[in-house]
Structure formats: C-alpha cells, structure tokens
Amino acid sequence: QVQLVDTGGGLVQAGGSLRVSCAASGRTVSRNGMGWSRQAPGKEREFVAAITRSGISTYYAESVKGRFTISRDNAKNTVYLQMNGLKPEDTAVYYCTAGNWENGNYAPRYWGQGTQVTVSS
C-alpha cells in the first residue's frame, strides 16, 4: 500500500507561481512512478505530469509543458510540482498519484486527497 498526502495549494494571480508537494509513505514507494493529475469544476480528471522511479524521465500534458516541472526526492519520499506562468484555466484540484507504466502510458494506482489550486485573472 502507498499513502499520499498532497499539500501546497492556494490562491495565486495569473502569471504567478505555486509549488505543490506530495509526501508518500509505504514500503513500495521507491518502486513507483509518481505523477500529478487535476480535475477542474465540471470537467473530467486529466493527466498533468509523471516522473519515473529514478527521476530521470519526466512526462507532461501538452497544456502544461514548458510551464510546470515535476521532480522527486526519493530520500524524502516526496514529489513536487512546480507551476509557473499559471493561467485561470489551471484552476483545479490537483491530485498526487503513484503508479507505473503500462503499454507506454502512465497508469496511476494510488491517489492523494487532492489540493485546491485557484488562479485568479
């Protein structure tokens, strides 16, 4: 089992920056890829970013590429999502995930409780 606790959400103006964090626990954490997904009001949950176990490879949704950066500190069992150049359309609940790759796609298996990010125009 993997437990994930998301923190760091908040209110920020358009163009601003915010970093959300995820503390992971469980004996298999180091074996998992990690990622972030988000769900905006009235929309389906969508993939945002993912990072491999080693942290060497990262993957991003087109909508956030060049603005968001995912990273992980395996010594601290923590994954981060640095969000720069935020836009009102980035407003959503952000969920940390742990999972692995299946057929070339990141497949979340565990989910955090979510943290709200609101971007004002």
Side-chain angles (χ1 to χ4, degrees), residues 23-38:
S25 61
R27 60 189 181 94
T28 60
V29 166
S30 62
R31 303 178 188 176
N32 283 271
M34 303 288 291
W36 291 91
S37 293
R38 68 185 182 186

Side-chain angles (χ1 to χ4, degrees), residues 79-120:
V79 63
Y80 307 96
L81 184 68
Q82 176 68 42
M83 302 180 287
N84 299 328
L86 282 161
K87 305 174 182 180
E89 51 263 43
D90 293 318
T91 295
V93 177
Y94 283 71
Y95 297 90
C96 175
T97 63
N100 278 301
W101 274 261
E102 299 176 3
N103 299 318
N105 296 312
Y106 176 68
R109 183 177 180 186
Y110 302 99
W111 295 78
Q113 85 285 359
T115 185
Q116 176 71 46
V117 172
T118 303
V119 184
S120 63

